[in-house]
Amino acid sequence: MPRFSVVFASALLFCSLNLQAAPWYRVEVVLVAYQNPQLIGDEQWPDALPLPQAEARAPDLRWWHTPPVSGYNALLAGFGFSRPPVAGWDLPLQPLPNRHLQAEAERLQKHPDMQVIWHQAWVEPIQEQEQAIVHPLDIRLTDQLDIHLSGSISLHRSRFLHVSTDIVVQHFEPSPVPALADLQPLNSPIRSDYRTDLLTQAAIASSASEETAPVPVRAAHIQQSRRMRSGELHYIDHPLLGIVVKVVPVTDASSL
C-alpha cells in the first residue's frame, strides 16, 4: 500500500476513535463554602498554604467558527473532531444562561452555615487526561468569613468520566496591620512561612491607608480525582468546601 494511503487510513482510524472518545458534555459545577467557625475549628489547619502553580491550559477554539481548510483542522487542534458538530450552540466553554442545578443551589444557600460562592454551566469536549481542559478558579468571598479560592478544576475521561480538583482554600480574619520590621526576623534570610508572606503582602497593600489587613488563619489543599457517571449528581465533600458536579452528554442546543 502506498505510504500516503497508509497515513490517510491511520488518520481516518484516529479520527474515528477520537470521535467516540471526545463527545460533547454539558458541565455544571457549584462550589459551596462552609462558614461555621465552631465546626471548622474542630480540626487543626495550617495557617496558610502556597497557591497551586499549575498553569491553566487555554484550548484553541478558533476552528469552531472557521471554515475548514481541510477535513482535519479540528482534529489537528486536539479535539478529535473532523469538523464542529452541528449542535446549534455558540462557542464552547462559555457560561450558559440556564443552570439546571439552580434549585439545589438555592437550597444550599438557605443553610445558615453554607454559602454558594461559584455556580457555572458550560459545554466542553471532555478529552483524555493529557488533553483535559483546565478551568482556573480565583474567587474571593467576604461574608461570615473572608475566603479566597485559588486553583483549578478539570474533567477527563478514560474508561469513566473523572473530575479533578487542585484548589487551595484560604480563610482570613481582619487584624491590625503589623509593622513590616516585625514580619521578617533578621537572622532568617530564607523562609518557607507562607503565612508571613501573605502578611507581608497585606501590610504593604494596607500601610498607606492604615486599614486592617486580612490575616490568614486556616487553609486546605483540595487535590483529588473523583470517578463519575454521566447524568448523575456528584458531591465532593471537604470540611471547608463542598463541590457539586453534574455532567450530561449533549448533541444539540435543545438539551442545554
Side-chain angles (χ1 to χ4, degrees), residues 234-255:
H234 293 267
Y235 186 68
I236 300 174
D237 196 19
H238 185 274
L240 299 187
L241 185 72
I243 305 173
V244 182
V245 185
K246 189 172 184 179
V247 179
V248 180
V250 293
T251 55
D252 56 64
S254 64
S255 56

Side-chain angles (χ1 to χ4, degrees), residues 146-205:
D146 188 0
I147 302 174
H148 187 199
L149 265 66
S150 297
S152 63
I153 185 170
S154 63
L155 299 106
H156 72 272
R157 57 178 299 154
S158 51
R159 185 177 178 184
F160 296 95
L161 292 169
H162 292 78
V163 57
S164 299
T165 62
D166 187 12
I167 303 172
V168 167
V169 182
Q170 181 71 62
H171 287 188
F172 295 87
E173 289 182 356
S175 177
V177 179
L180 288 176
D182 296 336
L183 293 175
Q184 185 71 24
L186 295 178
N187 297 325
S188 180
I190 301 176
R191 295 182 60 82
S192 59
D193 186 349
Y194 300 106
R195 182 174 186 273
T196 296
D197 295 339
L198 291 173
L199 284 170
T200 304
Q201 295 171 13
I204 294 173

Side-chain angles (χ1 to χ4, degrees), residues 14-140:
F14 183 70
C15 179
S16 175
L17 291 174
N18 276 273
L19 280 169
Q20 297 179 5
W24 293 96
Y25 285 87
R26 185 188 190 278
V27 182
E28 189 161 355
V29 178
V30 183
L31 302 182
V32 185
Y34 295 132
Q35 299 195 97
N36 189 326
Q38 295 180 344
L39 295 178
I40 295 173
D42 289 342
E43 298 191 33
Q44 296 295 319
W45 306 99
D47 291 340
L49 290 172
L51 301 183
Q53 298 299 315
E55 295 183 1
R57 295 190 293 270
D60 182 2
L61 300 174
R62 290 174 297 179
W63 59 271
W64 180 265
H65 287 306
T66 302
V69 177
S70 68
Y72 302 100
N73 63 326
L75 176 63
L76 296 176
F79 280 85
F81 293 100
S82 60
R83 62 180 183 273
V86 181
W89 63 73
D90 292 330
L91 199 67
L93 308 182
Q94 301 302 308
L96 296 174
N98 298 325
R99 299 177 182 178
H100 297 174
L101 300 182
Q102 188 63 38
E104 288 81 355
E106 291 176 356
R107 283 198 293 270
L108 293 170
Q109 186 71 24
K110 291 179 181 178
H111 197 285
D113 298 329
M114 297 181 180
Q115 175 72 35
V116 174
I117 59 176
W118 195 78
H119 184 186
Q120 292 287 352
W122 65 91
V123 173
E124 73 170 270
I126 298 182
Q127 308 287 286
E128 300 293 329
Q129 188 170 10
E130 293 75 14
Q131 287 80 38
I133 299 171
V134 179
H135 303 273
L137 297 172
D138 186 9
I139 306 165
R140 194 71 179 254

